[in-house]
């Protein structure tokens, strides 16, 4: 078991070849490749995503573009507008009060770079516009100690990739697709992979190309 004082985990040196840590570059190289492709419009991406959902027995989302939020600049997390709870804003926008999800994390969501490129295809409700301030902190962890099973990387992979490519997040909106009727995280994760792969098959460039695969 891990313990805070002291941590008995072995120092982490992994991450695989698609990690953005330990000097690995494949994910950065793939992102640069994606930037050389013409981006699809937000509407095109919405239509493709809804087409995939509908073909897999899920309800399409009429208006997935969500703007009723603010960004906490201390950590770039998405919070509710005007001191309201974010979950309440999402529930109102998507009609989830009368027709709730089995869990608030049963969603697929996407965020975009300011250049119009789709940045990431993600699952769960950890909405954020995280980005590191410099390359010096790419490998920082949440507790400042060497990476192990007790802690997490401080900055997300997609945020690190955007910083490396001198891009910024478009903080004006998110695309959120609530997944009605699914029962568990395993099903949600399969849908996330399916959506990402379907977008790629339809020539949608994704800056964090592998985001939906993990």
């Amino acid at each position: 078991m891990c313990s805070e004082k002291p941590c008995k985990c072995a120092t982490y040196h992994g991450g695989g070849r698609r990690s953005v840590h330990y000097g690995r570059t494949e994910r950065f190289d793939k992102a640069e490749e994606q930037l050389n492709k013409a981006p699809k419009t937000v509407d095109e991406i919405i239509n493709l995503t809804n087409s995939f959902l509908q073909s897999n027995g899920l309800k399409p989302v009429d208006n997935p573009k969500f703007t009723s939020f603010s960004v906490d600049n201390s950590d770039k997390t998405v919070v509710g507008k005007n001191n309201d709870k974010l979950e309440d804003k999402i529930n109102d926008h998507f009609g989830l009060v009368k027709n709730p999800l089995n869990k608030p994390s049963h969603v697929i969501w996407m965020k975009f770079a300011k250049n119009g490129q789709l940045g990431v295809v993600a699952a769960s409700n950890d909405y954020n516009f995280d980005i590191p301030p410099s390359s010096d902190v790419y490998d920082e962890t949440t507790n400042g100690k060497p990476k192990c099973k007790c802690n997490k990387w401080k900055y997300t992979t997609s945020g690190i990739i955007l910083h490396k490519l001198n891009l910024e997040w478009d903080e004006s909106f998110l695309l959120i697709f609530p997944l009605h009727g699914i029962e568990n995280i395993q099903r949600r994760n399969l849908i996330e992979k399916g959506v990402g792969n379907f977008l790629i098959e339809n020539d949608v460039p994704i800056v964090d190309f592998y985001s939906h695969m993990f």
Side-chain angles (χ1 to χ4, degrees), residues 108-204:
I108 303 299
W109 64 281
M110 305 172 191
K111 55 185 173 180
F112 290 73
K114 282 186 175 180
N115 69 348
Q117 295 272 13
L118 174 58
V120 62
V121 176
S124 192
N125 54 341
D126 54 344
Y127 313 108
N128 68 83
F129 292 102
D130 164 275
I131 196 164
S134 77
S135 59
D136 295 335
V137 298
Y138 285 179
D139 290 339
E140 281 193 5
T141 60
T142 50
N143 64 5
K145 298 178 181 179
K147 183 72 177 75
C148 69
K149 293 180 180 179
C150 289
N151 57 16
K152 297 180 180 180
W153 297 116
K154 185 174 181 179
Y155 298 100
T156 61
T157 294
S158 58
I160 290 172
I161 290 172
L162 251 71
H163 184 270
K164 181 77 171 180
L165 300 181
N166 295 312
L167 297 174
E168 296 179 345
W169 291 120
D170 181 345
E171 298 182 3
S172 66
F173 75 99
L174 295 168
L175 294 186
I176 300 178
F177 297 86
L179 304 175
H180 287 283
I182 68 167
E183 299 295 334
N184 53 56
I185 289 175
Q186 290 77 15
R187 172 71 169 146
R188 182 203 69 191
N189 291 347
L190 285 174
I191 296 166
E192 175 194 14
K193 290 179 182 179
V195 167
N197 289 337
F198 186 71
L199 294 177
I200 290 168
E201 289 167 8
N202 284 275
D203 300 317
V204 177

Side-chain angles (χ1 to χ4, degrees), residues 86-107:
L86 179 63
E87 188 173 338
D88 291 342
K89 290 289 190 182
I90 291 173
N91 288 343
D92 288 342
H93 181 90
F94 294 102
L96 300 179
V97 176
K98 292 184 178 180
N99 188 19
L101 301 175
N102 285 325
K103 289 186 177 180
S105 61
H106 287 177
V107 301

